[in-house]
Amino acid sequence: ETLARLTPHVRSARILPLVHFSVADWRADPCAVAARVAAQSWSAAPLIVRSSARSEDSAHASGAGRYLSVANVGREALADAVGRVIASYGAAADDDQVLVQPMLSGISVSGVAFTRDPNTGSSYVVINYDDRGDPTAVTGGRADKLNTFICWKHGGGRCPAELRPVLDLLSELEGHLLHDSLDVEFAVDATGLVLLQVRPLVAGQRPAIKLDTQKRALQADRKSTRLNSSHGYIS
């Protein structure tokens, strides 16, 4: 539902077309739901059936990555894939959901971005990403393949070129959702940046240090680093 609401408004990335439905809808009439998917012009291509349980988007506890998503699904295998996703919820509630989208291919970069430090709640953007073409490296927890970029939200810093559109997207999402603590999944293919998911970030408590105090400390840090090192400055 979040992706559907954002689709007409997001300009710095694209959102893949989607069909979402509740567990109750599927249990009541799976043929009707399958017909809704089959009616989409994109449904003849490989699909991905994604989990969208209510517990994945809670502001109080994160279930991101807990449940199953099934990739490269053909129309004939849709019912089996949906059943597997719902089974991964355990005792699925009627209002838990399933999301079906076209399968994204040709991914060059994929990752998860946080608009606050997920450990402390501090005002840093943290991006964990893979640039080797493995779309499951981040969500699958294969840390040996990951790059991490961290920057202070309120002032400049160096950013890898492939991540600049991600920073623009994060800023845009904060504006649309009126929320400054977000957990965002993204990918980049030959066409550009794709928004895969956005949910509230369940982070540590906001730091007790005031924002102005943090700014002064970082400015002092940058000055000291420029004076004492030839390797640039922290972002």
Side-chain angles (χ1 to χ4, degrees):
E1 291 174 342
T2 301
L3 290 176
R5 287 196 301 268
L6 286 171
T7 295
H9 305 292
V10 170
R11 296 290 177 264
S12 52
R14 77 184 196 277
I15 298 173
L16 299 176
L18 59 93
V19 170
H20 64 85
F21 50 89
S22 69
V23 170
D25 289 339
W26 180 258
R27 288 171 174 165
D29 195 344
C31 291
V33 174
R36 281 179 54 204
V37 175
Q40 308 303 313
S41 60
W42 43 266
S43 66
L47 306 172
I48 184 166
V49 181
R50 301 178 57 192
S51 63
S52 186
R54 292 295 182 186
S55 58
E56 290 185 76
D57 296 317
S58 168
H60 307 290
S62 176
R66 180 185 303 170
Y67 306 119
L68 181 67
S69 290
V70 183
N72 291 309
V73 176
R75 283 179 179 174
E76 68 285 351
L78 179 65
D80 177 70
V82 172
R84 290 169 60 195
V85 170
I86 292 175
S88 75
Y89 298 165
D94 282 347
D95 62 349
D96 283 332
Q97 295 183 339
V98 177
L99 177 69
V100 180
Q101 292 181 289
M103 186 71 193
L104 191 63
S105 61
I107 293 174
S108 58
V109 179
S110 61
V112 176
F114 307 101
T115 62
R116 283 187 176 270
D117 184 324
N119 297 308
T120 67
S122 298
S123 294
Y124 292 90
V125 169
V126 179
I127 305 176
N128 296 318
Y129 68 102
D130 171 79
D131 57 3
R132 306 180 198 184
D134 181 353
T136 63
V138 178
T139 55
R142 290 188 285 283
D144 59 311
K145 288 188 174 184
L146 298 187
N147 302 300
T148 298
F149 171 73
I150 302 173
C151 71
W152 173 241
K153 285 182 70 170
H154 303 283
R158 296 171 180 172
C159 175
E162 66 267 27
L163 296 183
R164 289 184 189 125
V166 178
L167 294 181
D168 292 340
L169 173 62
L170 296 179
S171 178
E172 183 182 7
L173 290 174
E174 286 185 326
H176 286 311
L177 298 172
L178 302 178
H179 193 56
D180 67 353
S181 299
L182 300 174
D183 173 346
V184 177
E185 297 177 23
F186 67 90
V188 178
D189 67 1
T191 306
L193 183 62
V194 182
L195 172 61
L196 300 176
Q197 186 58 282
V198 55
R199 55 174 61 89
L201 171 62
V202 181
Q205 291 188 354
R206 298 292 177 89
I209 302 173
K210 292 182 178 180
L211 181 59
D212 287 345
T213 304
Q214 291 179 336
K215 285 181 178 178
R216 288 195 296 271
L218 280 171
Q219 288 167 353
D221 231 355
R222 285 174 176 153
K223 181 178 180 181
S224 173
T225 304
R226 286 196 296 271
L227 290 172
N228 293 289
S229 171
S230 60
H231 300 292
Y233 53 88
I234 61 174
S235 293

